[in-house]
Amino acid sequence: MRFGAFLLATRFPGQSDDDALARTVEAAVAAERAGFDEVWVAEHHFMSYGVCPSAATLAGFLLGATSRVHVGTAVSVLSTQHPVALGEQAAMLAAVSGGRFRLGVGRGGPWRDLEVFGTGLDRYERGFAESLDLLLTWLGSERVGWSGEHFAFREVPVVPRTAHPVPVAVACTSPATEALAAERGLPMLLGMHVGDEDKAGAVARYGRPAPHISTALAQVADAREAAVRLVTEEMPRWLGPGLDGYVPVDDRPRQRRDPYAYARELCDLHPVGTPDDCVDAILTTVERTGIRHVLLMVEAAGSRAATLENIARLGEQVLPRVRAAVADDTASAEPA
């Protein structure tokens, strides 16, 4: 099992962006101390849902602030940046961290980011596959030239070159993107908006073993009712204003989520409750999906103190028990 702490860098009510980013750094250091294997950071623009506009930049800072954990992007959005520029950053972070950097990439959405950065709807709607292929080619080559629909340039040397591989995962929310990831042999990064059944379906459609990653909300309390109450009362206070930041670049309708109903749904889908509840929920996900790489979103309770307490309790009371149970299952399944 591998466990990552997933940090949105969301702005909680009454906080400044400085506060949110400082809390995110503090949470990453706390996750390393608590025994997490990784820390993953989100990337958003023009919204309070997450005030980190460059996951790679924040990942670089977190790599410097930690010494053991791997740090990943969940995700770097390929529709709003040049894949070569992202590839250069990824290689540099892998080099200076001794191979502790992981790169999650995604298509993003039809949001106003596309207008601000000048990439446009076409890059979002039709350019993701080419962007991904150019990124992968860059990370695996000494020299690259390109002639495609969205990118074209004469051959240039790849700098920096690093001996440390950059693991790449693809955020998948549709069968089409699942197929794209499978064709390139890349693991899927599956979001917390869906549960075990949908994730198991994605794994089945992928069609062969791969180190996929599952994201879930996690909240520990002394009683399940207390954990659910904490999430359903506190999460909508920051989730509602945050979701309002998803503004389409064109006039297409956008389905708006009820933040209270969504918080309740997440409690039903994910490890929320006592340490026993959380252990059981994670082991159930492992059993149903076969995925042994889990990212836990730890900030739902909406405060610095609650986030740090949640990280500490997960590290002490949940993660070791899941690791032990999975190790025992693996050992018992091996032929004598």
Side-chain angles (χ1 to χ4, degrees), residues 78 81-88 123 130-136 138-139 151:
L78 277 176
Q81 57 190 307
H82 200 292
V84 168
L86 181 60
E88 290 177 326
R123 275 281 301 278
E130 184 183 348
S131 296
L132 180 60
D133 288 341
L134 176 52
L135 171 68
L136 296 174
W138 186 268
L139 291 174
F151 305 98

PDB file of all heavy atoms in Angstrom, residues 78 81-88 123 130-136 138-139 151:
ATOM      1  N   LEU A  78      -3.007  20.182 -18.516  1.00  0.00           N
ATOM      2  CA  LEU A  78      -2.315  20.300 -19.794  1.00  0.00           C
ATOM      3  C   LEU A  78      -3.018  21.228 -20.777  1.00  0.00           C
ATOM      4  O   LEU A  78      -2.396  21.690 -21.736  1.00  0.00           O
ATOM      5  CB  LEU A  78      -2.152  18.917 -20.430  1.00  0.00           C
ATOM      6  CG  LEU A  78      -0.958  18.100 -19.949  1.00  0.00           C
ATOM      7  CD1 LEU A  78      -0.966  16.716 -20.578  1.00  0.00           C
ATOM      8  CD2 LEU A  78       0.350  18.812 -20.263  1.00  0.00           C
ATOM      9  N   GLN A  81      -1.299  24.951 -20.395  1.00  0.00           N
ATOM     10  CA  GLN A  81       0.141  25.200 -20.380  1.00  0.00           C
ATOM     11  C   GLN A  81       0.818  24.371 -21.448  1.00  0.00           C
ATOM     12  O   GLN A  81       0.262  23.397 -21.956  1.00  0.00           O
ATOM     13  CB  GLN A  81       0.735  24.900 -19.006  1.00  0.00           C
ATOM     14  CG  GLN A  81       0.504  23.491 -18.480  1.00  0.00           C
ATOM     15  CD  GLN A  81       0.901  23.361 -17.023  1.00  0.00           C
ATOM     16  OE1 GLN A  81       2.015  23.702 -16.632  1.00  0.00           O
ATOM     17  NE2 GLN A  81      -0.022  22.879 -16.199  1.00  0.00           N
ATOM     18  N   HIS A  82       2.040  24.767 -21.773  1.00  0.00           N
ATOM     19  CA  HIS A  82       2.777  24.065 -22.815  1.00  0.00           C
ATOM     20  C   HIS A  82       3.387  22.796 -22.236  1.00  0.00           C
ATOM     21  O   HIS A  82       4.063  22.836 -21.192  1.00  0.00           O
ATOM     22  CB  HIS A  82       3.879  24.958 -23.380  1.00  0.00           C
ATOM     23  CG  HIS A  82       4.360  24.526 -24.725  1.00  0.00           C
ATOM     24  ND1 HIS A  82       5.056  23.347 -24.916  1.00  0.00           N
ATOM     25  CD2 HIS A  82       4.243  25.098 -25.944  1.00  0.00           C
ATOM     26  CE1 HIS A  82       5.357  23.221 -26.195  1.00  0.00           C
ATOM     27  NE2 HIS A  82       4.859  24.277 -26.851  1.00  0.00           N
ATOM     28  N   PRO A  83       3.190  21.650 -22.862  1.00  0.00           N
ATOM     29  CA  PRO A  83       3.723  20.398 -22.314  1.00  0.00           C
ATOM     30  C   PRO A  83       5.241  20.367 -22.212  1.00  0.00           C
ATOM     31  O   PRO A  83       5.787  19.697 -21.328  1.00  0.00           O
ATOM     32  CB  PRO A  83       3.195  19.327 -23.264  1.00  0.00           C
ATOM     33  CG  PRO A  83       2.686  20.047 -24.459  1.00  0.00           C
ATOM     34  CD  PRO A  83       2.334  21.419 -24.041  1.00  0.00           C
ATOM     35  N   VAL A  84       5.945  21.080 -23.080  1.00  0.00           N
ATOM     36  CA  VAL A  84       7.411  21.112 -22.963  1.00  0.00           C
ATOM     37  C   VAL A  84       7.818  21.862 -21.710  1.00  0.00           C
ATOM     38  O   VAL A  84       8.713  21.428 -20.970  1.00  0.00           O
ATOM     39  CB  VAL A  84       8.046  21.737 -24.220  1.00  0.00           C
ATOM     40  CG1 VAL A  84       9.522  22.029 -23.981  1.00  0.00           C
ATOM     41  CG2 VAL A  84       7.885  20.791 -25.410  1.00  0.00           C
ATOM     42  N   ALA A  85       7.173  22.988 -21.429  1.00  0.00           N
ATOM     43  CA  ALA A  85       7.489  23.741 -20.217  1.00  0.00           C
ATOM     44  C   ALA A  85       7.218  22.888 -18.973  1.00  0.00           C
ATOM     45  O   ALA A  85       8.014  22.880 -18.025  1.00  0.00           O
ATOM     46  CB  ALA A  85       6.673  25.025 -20.169  1.00  0.00           C
ATOM     47  N   LEU A  86       6.119  22.149 -18.977  1.00  0.00           N
ATOM     48  CA  LEU A  86       5.823  21.280 -17.844  1.00  0.00           C
ATOM     49  C   LEU A  86       6.837  20.151 -17.755  1.00  0.00           C
ATOM     50  O   LEU A  86       7.289  19.785 -16.659  1.00  0.00           O
ATOM     51  CB  LEU A  86       4.411  20.712 -17.977  1.00  0.00           C
ATOM     52  CG  LEU A  86       3.953  19.796 -16.840  1.00  0.00           C
ATOM     53  CD1 LEU A  86       3.962  20.526 -15.501  1.00  0.00           C
ATOM     54  CD2 LEU A  86       2.551  19.246 -17.128  1.00  0.00           C
ATOM     55  N   GLY A  87       7.237  19.591 -18.897  1.00  0.00           N
ATOM     56  CA  GLY A  87       8.238  18.543 -18.892  1.00  0.00           C
ATOM     57  C   GLY A  87       9.570  19.020 -18.340  1.00  0.00           C
ATOM     58  O   GLY A  87      10.247  18.288 -17.603  1.00  0.00           O
ATOM     59  N   GLU A  88       9.972  20.237 -18.703  1.00  0.00           N
ATOM     60  CA  GLU A  88      11.212  20.800 -18.158  1.00  0.00           C
ATOM     61  C   GLU A  88      11.133  20.925 -16.640  1.00  0.00           C
ATOM     62  O   GLU A  88      12.074  20.569 -15.917  1.00  0.00           O
ATOM     63  CB  GLU A  88      11.471  22.169 -18.777  1.00  0.00           C
ATOM     64  CG  GLU A  88      11.855  22.140 -20.244  1.00  0.00           C
ATOM     65  CD  GLU A  88      12.019  23.534 -20.815  1.00  0.00           C
ATOM     66  OE1 GLU A  88      11.284  24.462 -20.393  1.00  0.00           O
ATOM     67  OE2 GLU A  88      12.887  23.711 -21.677  1.00  0.00           O
ATOM     68  N   ARG A 123      -7.860  23.416 -27.446  1.00  0.00           N
ATOM     69  CA  ARG A 123      -6.861  22.654 -26.691  1.00  0.00           C
ATOM     70  C   ARG A 123      -7.528  21.751 -25.667  1.00  0.00           C
ATOM     71  O   ARG A 123      -7.053  20.634 -25.399  1.00  0.00           O
ATOM     72  CB  ARG A 123      -5.891  23.608 -25.990  1.00  0.00           C
ATOM     73  CG  ARG A 123      -4.726  24.083 -26.835  1.00  0.00           C
ATOM     74  CD  ARG A 123      -3.605  23.049 -26.944  1.00  0.00           C
ATOM     75  NE  ARG A 123      -3.070  22.688 -25.644  1.00  0.00           N
ATOM     76  CZ  ARG A 123      -2.169  23.391 -24.983  1.00  0.00           C
ATOM     77  NH1 ARG A 123      -1.692  24.523 -25.501  1.00  0.00           N
ATOM     78  NH2 ARG A 123      -1.732  22.993 -23.813  1.00  0.00           N
ATOM     79  N   GLU A 130      -2.538  15.022 -27.897  1.00  0.00           N
ATOM     80  CA  GLU A 130      -1.268  15.508 -28.440  1.00  0.00           C
ATOM     81  C   GLU A 130      -0.406  16.126 -27.342  1.00  0.00           C
ATOM     82  O   GLU A 130       0.822  15.920 -27.306  1.00  0.00           O
ATOM     83  CB  GLU A 130      -1.505  16.530 -29.555  1.00  0.00           C
ATOM     84  CG  GLU A 130      -0.204  16.981 -30.199  1.00  0.00           C
ATOM     85  CD  GLU A 130      -0.396  18.055 -31.258  1.00  0.00           C
ATOM     86  OE1 GLU A 130      -1.558  18.297 -31.673  1.00  0.00           O
ATOM     87  OE2 GLU A 130       0.627  18.656 -31.668  1.00  0.00           O
ATOM     88  N   SER A 131      -1.027  16.879 -26.444  1.00  0.00           N
ATOM     89  CA  SER A 131      -0.274  17.468 -25.336  1.00  0.00           C
ATOM     90  C   SER A 131       0.382  16.389 -24.491  1.00  0.00           C
ATOM     91  O   SER A 131       1.562  16.491 -24.105  1.00  0.00           O
ATOM     92  CB  SER A 131      -1.200  18.317 -24.463  1.00  0.00           C
ATOM     93  OG  SER A 131      -1.710  19.418 -25.163  1.00  0.00           O
ATOM     94  N   LEU A 132      -0.365  15.329 -24.209  1.00  0.00           N
ATOM     95  CA  LEU A 132       0.182  14.236 -23.405  1.00  0.00           C
ATOM     96  C   LEU A 132       1.314  13.530 -24.136  1.00  0.00           C
ATOM     97  O   LEU A 132       2.364  13.231 -23.546  1.00  0.00           O
ATOM     98  CB  LEU A 132      -0.938  13.249 -23.065  1.00  0.00           C
ATOM     99  CG  LEU A 132      -0.548  12.036 -22.224  1.00  0.00           C
ATOM    100  CD1 LEU A 132       0.025  12.447 -20.881  1.00  0.00           C
ATOM    101  CD2 LEU A 132      -1.754  11.111 -22.038  1.00  0.00           C
ATOM    102  N   ASP A 133       1.149  13.286 -25.429  1.00  0.00           N
ATOM    103  CA  ASP A 133       2.195  12.597 -26.191  1.00  0.00           C
ATOM    104  C   ASP A 133       3.462  13.430 -26.280  1.00  0.00           C
ATOM    105  O   ASP A 133       4.582  12.893 -26.184  1.00  0.00           O
ATOM    106  CB  ASP A 133       1.685  12.270 -27.592  1.00  0.00           C
ATOM    107  CG  ASP A 133       0.661  11.141 -27.583  1.00  0.00           C
ATOM    108  OD1 ASP A 133       0.623  10.389 -26.591  1.00  0.00           O
ATOM    109  OD2 ASP A 133      -0.104  11.022 -28.558  1.00  0.00           O
ATOM    110  N   LEU A 134       3.312  14.735 -26.446  1.00  0.00           N
ATOM    111  CA  LEU A 134       4.492  15.599 -26.481  1.00  0.00           C
ATOM    112  C   LEU A 134       5.192  15.600 -25.134  1.00  0.00           C
ATOM    113  O   LEU A 134       6.434  15.517 -25.058  1.00  0.00           O
ATOM    114  CB  LEU A 134       4.089  17.016 -26.890  1.00  0.00           C
ATOM    115  CG  LEU A 134       5.195  18.079 -26.875  1.00  0.00           C
ATOM    116  CD1 LEU A 134       6.425  17.632 -27.655  1.00  0.00           C
ATOM    117  CD2 LEU A 134       4.650  19.405 -27.412  1.00  0.00           C
ATOM    118  N   LEU A 135       4.439  15.668 -24.051  1.00  0.00           N
ATOM    119  CA  LEU A 135       5.032  15.624 -22.709  1.00  0.00           C
ATOM    120  C   LEU A 135       5.807  14.322 -22.509  1.00  0.00           C
ATOM    121  O   LEU A 135       6.961  14.340 -22.042  1.00  0.00           O
ATOM    122  CB  LEU A 135       3.923  15.744 -21.667  1.00  0.00           C
ATOM    123  CG  LEU A 135       4.341  15.511 -20.213  1.00  0.00           C
ATOM    124  CD1 LEU A 135       5.259  16.623 -19.729  1.00  0.00           C
ATOM    125  CD2 LEU A 135       3.104  15.410 -19.315  1.00  0.00           C
ATOM    126  N   LEU A 136       5.209  13.193 -22.855  1.00  0.00           N
ATOM    127  CA  LEU A 136       5.870  11.904 -22.660  1.00  0.00           C
ATOM    128  C   LEU A 136       7.110  11.776 -23.536  1.00  0.00           C
ATOM    129  O   LEU A 136       8.145  11.236 -23.101  1.00  0.00           O
ATOM    130  CB  LEU A 136       4.890  10.771 -22.962  1.00  0.00           C
ATOM    131  CG  LEU A 136       3.669  10.665 -22.043  1.00  0.00           C
ATOM    132  CD1 LEU A 136       2.712   9.599 -22.547  1.00  0.00           C
ATOM    133  CD2 LEU A 136       4.094  10.376 -20.603  1.00  0.00           C
ATOM    134  N   TRP A 138       8.977  14.237 -24.556  1.00  0.00           N
ATOM    135  CA  TRP A 138       9.989  15.107 -23.968  1.00  0.00           C
ATOM    136  C   TRP A 138      10.669  14.428 -22.782  1.00  0.00           C
ATOM    137  O   TRP A 138      11.903  14.460 -22.655  1.00  0.00           O
ATOM    138  CB  TRP A 138       9.357  16.429 -23.534  1.00  0.00           C
ATOM    139  CG  TRP A 138      10.375  17.417 -23.059  1.00  0.00           C
ATOM    140  CD1 TRP A 138      10.806  17.622 -21.786  1.00  0.00           C
ATOM    141  CD2 TRP A 138      11.127  18.318 -23.877  1.00  0.00           C
ATOM    142  NE1 TRP A 138      11.775  18.599 -21.756  1.00  0.00           N
ATOM    143  CE2 TRP A 138      11.985  19.039 -23.029  1.00  0.00           C
ATOM    144  CE3 TRP A 138      11.140  18.580 -25.247  1.00  0.00           C
ATOM    145  CZ2 TRP A 138      12.854  20.014 -23.503  1.00  0.00           C
ATOM    146  CZ3 TRP A 138      12.004  19.558 -25.726  1.00  0.00           C
ATOM    147  CH2 TRP A 138      12.856  20.252 -24.855  1.00  0.00           C
ATOM    148  N   LEU A 139       9.897  13.802 -21.925  1.00  0.00           N
ATOM    149  CA  LEU A 139      10.468  13.177 -20.726  1.00  0.00           C
ATOM    150  C   LEU A 139      11.316  11.965 -21.051  1.00  0.00           C
ATOM    151  O   LEU A 139      12.152  11.561 -20.237  1.00  0.00           O
ATOM    152  CB  LEU A 139       9.337  12.778 -19.767  1.00  0.00           C
ATOM    153  CG  LEU A 139       8.588  13.925 -19.091  1.00  0.00           C
ATOM    154  CD1 LEU A 139       7.397  13.392 -18.294  1.00  0.00           C
ATOM    155  CD2 LEU A 139       9.514  14.725 -18.186  1.00  0.00           C
ATOM    156  N   PHE A 151       1.012  21.813 -31.849  1.00  0.00           N
ATOM    157  CA  PHE A 151       2.387  22.196 -31.528  1.00  0.00           C
ATOM    158  C   PHE A 151       3.285  21.875 -32.713  1.00  0.00           C
ATOM    159  O   PHE A 151       3.115  20.838 -33.368  1.00  0.00           O
ATOM    160  CB  PHE A 151       2.895  21.439 -30.288  1.00  0.00           C
ATOM    161  CG  PHE A 151       2.023  21.593 -29.078  1.00  0.00           C
ATOM    162  CD1 PHE A 151       1.101  20.611 -28.752  1.00  0.00           C
ATOM    163  CD2 PHE A 151       2.110  22.722 -28.284  1.00  0.00           C
ATOM    164  CE1 PHE A 151       0.285  20.739 -27.647  1.00  0.00           C
ATOM    165  CE2 PHE A 151       1.295  22.865 -27.173  1.00  0.00           C
ATOM    166  CZ  PHE A 151       0.380  21.880 -26.860  1.00  0.00           C
TER     167      PHE A 151
END
